[in-house]
Amino acid sequence: MSSSTVNGGISFWYADDGIPAPREPLPGDASADVVIVGGGYTGLWTAYYLKKAAPFLRITVLEQKFCGYGASGRNGGWLYNGIAGRDRYAKLHGREAAVRLQKAMNDTVDEVVRVAAEEGVDADVHQGGVLEVAYTPAQLARLKAFHEHELSYGEKDRELYGARETAERIRVVDAVGSGWTPHGARLHPVKLVKGLAAVVEALGVTIHEGTPVTEIRPKHAVTPYGTVRAPYVLRCTEGFTASLKGQKRTWLPMNSSMIATERLTDAQWESIGWEGRETLGDMAHAYMYAQRTADGRIALGGRGVPYRFGSRTDNDGRTQPATVEALREILVRFFPSLTGIGVEYAWSGVLGVPRDWCATVTLDRSTGLGWAGGYVGSGVATTNLAARTLRDLVQQDSGQSGETELTGLPWVNHQVRKWEPEPFRWIGVHGMYATYRTADRRELTTHSAESSRLARMADRVAGRG
């Protein structure tokens, strides 16, 4: 890692767009119709859709730092149609239910783009779709299987490319194929979250920042400054859920790390291609994700140190130098012409992982407690669908509406067991990712078209298989 690399400072996105002026903390005890805990995408989208549907509602958002401090301000800017747990929902509720969930996610990408434009939020959105490349025989076999799997869920506009067609889009060294879906867009995460917070506030939603919620119980959100009482308390805390009383093992805070390069020259872009500005991923087990930013950088991410003992989260996104170097190696392996490129920014953040790797939306009608999350890294779009679903569940419970298409989706009210206690949690997660990396290295050297058995074993241990 270069001494000139800005490490931490929340994320490159905040360095680029600035940290917002702080909003006032909660001044004391208060009441509301709905209190939302967490000022990230889930919480802000939920406030937006509830207030739009029922302008008379008194809605309060409580945020421990500032809106977008967590994953919403640190992610890779992938607005795409992936949703965690779809295959499990197909097993539990039938293929038809899972197809409806997938269609809702496809539509969600367009919904986010539509609302951002309608509300005047300029988040550097470019709808170039998602391109995922394969550069080993085993990855190519997985890519083809993945392509067929997605077609079976009704995604008929997906395309599969060979080596030559892939190179025409982007010149990733040794790429032997790729898959593309139009249901994806690149965006600037912080511009979206800051714009959304401003829109929500203008609608009349109260946002209190610098207000950590220490405990959620029926009709109460408890903070050091006072308690907000409301018939509905909605937990929208994703990777920070473990910090709440009684939630230590609910969702595991998985660490993800990113780098952003210096700006590339025209000649460097010409050597790479990437004119479609698709979001870019691969078919490795320990996969990467990247985007071509609006200001001409490459922002690239992957798993570094995947988990901190005791479900701890970091303070400012600081990243281990070894992780920065590992991400840089991925960049140079993909694009050897960028060997001398400078890495200007590095940062990390946490995402929420349920024990069965399934995203969920829940409203307990007996207590008024609701929650959404466990997106496992697919949150930029899934938060929007979750928020609209929470809106419908609250309106249904309060008698303002009946059942809707969204309240009937299979991820609603899904129950999942808690994670194991320490040290088994730490051993399991670190062992899983070490196994995935070993599997990737083995596939690079054996040139076999069969996926490493190590990866399948790790899937079973993780609960993903």
Side-chain angles (χ1 to χ4, degrees), residues 352-385:
V353 180
R355 188 62 184 87
D356 65 356
W357 301 70
C358 290
T360 55
V361 182
T362 298
L363 181 67
D364 183 339
R365 301 184 75 168
S366 67
T367 62
L369 296 178
W371 56 89
Y375 306 122
V376 194
S378 304
V380 180
T382 315
T383 49
N384 179 277
L385 179 61

Side-chain angles (χ1 to χ4, degrees), residues 36 38-49 61 67-68 193 196-197 200 207:
I36 295 169
Y41 291 149
T42 307
L44 293 173
W45 278 124
T46 302
Y48 175 82
Y49 286 110
V61 176
C67 290
V193 76
L196 190 54
V200 162
I207 301 175

Side-chain angles (χ1 to χ4, degrees), residues 172 217 224 242 297 315 395 408:
V172 173
R217 56 179 188 259
R297 306 170 192 271
N315 290 319
Q395 289 209 285

Side-chain angles (χ1 to χ4, degrees), residues 26-32 58 60 208 226-230:
L26 180 71
D29 290 343
S31 64
R58 295 174 302 136
T60 296
H208 291 298
T227 297
V228 182
R229 291 168 175 78

Side-chain angles (χ1 to χ4, degrees), residues 195-220:
L196 190 54
V199 167
V200 162
E201 212 166 29
L203 288 173
V205 171
T206 301
I207 301 175
H208 291 298
E209 295 180 330
T211 306
V213 172
T214 53
E215 183 183 0
I216 292 172
R217 56 179 188 259
K219 299 180 171 49
H220 296 76

